[in-house]
Amino acid sequence: QVQLQESGPGLVKPSETLSLTCTVSGDSISGYYWSWIRQTPGKGLEWTGYIYYSGSTYYNPSLKNRVTMSVDTSKNQFSLKLSSVTAADTAVYYCARGTGYCSPISCYGNFDYWGQGTLVAVSS
Amino acid sequence: DIQMTQSPSSLSASVGDRVTITCQASQDIGNYLNWYQQKPGKAPKVLIYDASNLETGVPSRFSGSGSGTHFSFTISSLQPEDIATYYCQQYDNLPLTFGGGTKVEIK
């Protein structure tokens, strides 16, 4: 059974960098695209972007060049870094596996496996 | 970005009722639409993909239809375990976007 588990600090100070890691078990990280999706009461579900096992990425322009994703195939993990955070970045962050494939136009398929989610609060 | 507008934002229905949720896309997305169910404190779970295909293991009381800009999601006979928030999500264009959600409650 495929399982995803987010890890990282639950509290980040304003202007600092949020860092999260998703560990995948039960299947190889290769052959799929992987995403971070965050959820806030105000903005609902927001897709932050994707990363392939090869390292290719796409980031949601709404995050204004603050986001970086990376992958470590040897550990079956992928990570999210979000810089210059504000209170608006307070959210539950989910990692998720995408079926299908990504092209320059879109990422096809759906998100079939998700982590349990981790709440990250931005506060001093 | 493609905007996904769901309605209603919440509804209350009785067990056994037929429940329908609609999702409108701001531009033609063909059938590139998924529906997710999210129960409190849990991650979303895909129920319908490609607008009308039932994910393996999902009860047949759930169904989806539509194409282009208008889509609907139906629960043919509402069960107590269906209490959740439902989201549509388009994958016709980047960035991927979700609807605002419809919270379903039991009357």
Side-chain angles (χ1 to χ4, degrees):
Chain A
Q1 176 73 331
V2 177
Q3 292 186 315
L4 285 69
Q5 179 67 58
E6 304 93 350
S7 58
L11 180 65
V12 182
K13 289 182 167 55
S15 80
E16 295 189 344
T17 296
L18 177 161
S19 296
L20 295 173
T21 295
C22 182
T23 301
V24 180
S25 59
D27 198 359
S28 171
I29 204 167
S30 301
Y32 299 94
Y33 67 90
W34 304 89
S35 284
W36 292 92
I37 297 162
R38 66 182 187 177
Q39 186 169 33
T40 63
K43 293 189 72 175
L45 290 164
E46 181 179 26
W47 180 71
T48 67
Y50 77 80
I51 186 166
Y52 261 115
Y53 65 94
S54 61
S56 62
T57 56
Y58 171 92
Y59 304 136
N60 193 328
S62 69
L63 294 169
K64 297 182 176 62
N65 301 316
R66 297 189 294 129
V67 64
T68 304
M69 296 184 192
S70 59
V71 63
D72 186 337
T73 55
S74 67
K75 295 182 179 179
N76 236 33
Q77 294 177 334
F78 62 103
S79 298
L80 170 74
K81 290 188 186 298
L82 184 64
S83 63
S84 305
V85 297
T86 70
D89 295 309
T90 294
V92 175
Y93 286 77
Y94 294 99
C95 57
R97 187 178 84 169
T99 66
Y101 68 96
C102 293
S103 75
I105 304 301
S106 189
C107 286
Y108 301 96
N110 58 73
F111 296 108
D112 61 349
Y113 289 99
W114 297 61
Q116 64 185 23
T118 186
L119 174 62
V120 179
V122 178
S123 176
S124 55
Chain B
D1 297 6
I2 296 176
Q3 307 303 315
M4 306 300 294
T5 304
Q6 278 184 244
S7 61
S9 56
S10 65
L11 65 89
S12 181
S14 300
V15 172
D17 281 355
R18 184 180 183 88
V19 168
T20 297
I21 298 166
T22 63
C23 180
Q24 181 170 342
S26 60
Q27 65 187 66
D28 189 334
I29 61 170
N31 67 334
Y32 290 150
L33 186 96
N34 299 314
W35 287 96
Y36 294 86
Q37 174 193 64
Q38 185 178 32
K39 295 186 176 180
K42 301 293 187 183
K45 170 189 172 185
V46 62
L47 300 183
I48 303 287
Y49 63 94
D50 295 348
S52 60
N53 291 311
L54 196 66
E55 181 76 356
T56 302
V58 173
S60 59
R61 64 180 180 274
F62 296 102
S63 65
S65 65
S67 66
T69 61
H70 286 84
F71 301 85
S72 63
F73 171 83
T74 298
I75 307 173
S76 61
S77 177
L78 186 67
Q79 299 302 303
E81 60 267 31
D82 300 336
I83 300 313
T85 301
Y86 294 85
Y87 296 92
C88 58
Q89 176 241 321
Q90 67 80 21
Y91 55 99
D92 180 66
N93 242 293
L94 296 175
L96 306 182
T97 50
F98 291 83
T102 297
K103 186 174 184 179
V104 175
E105 298 175 319
I106 296 285
K107 191 180 295 183

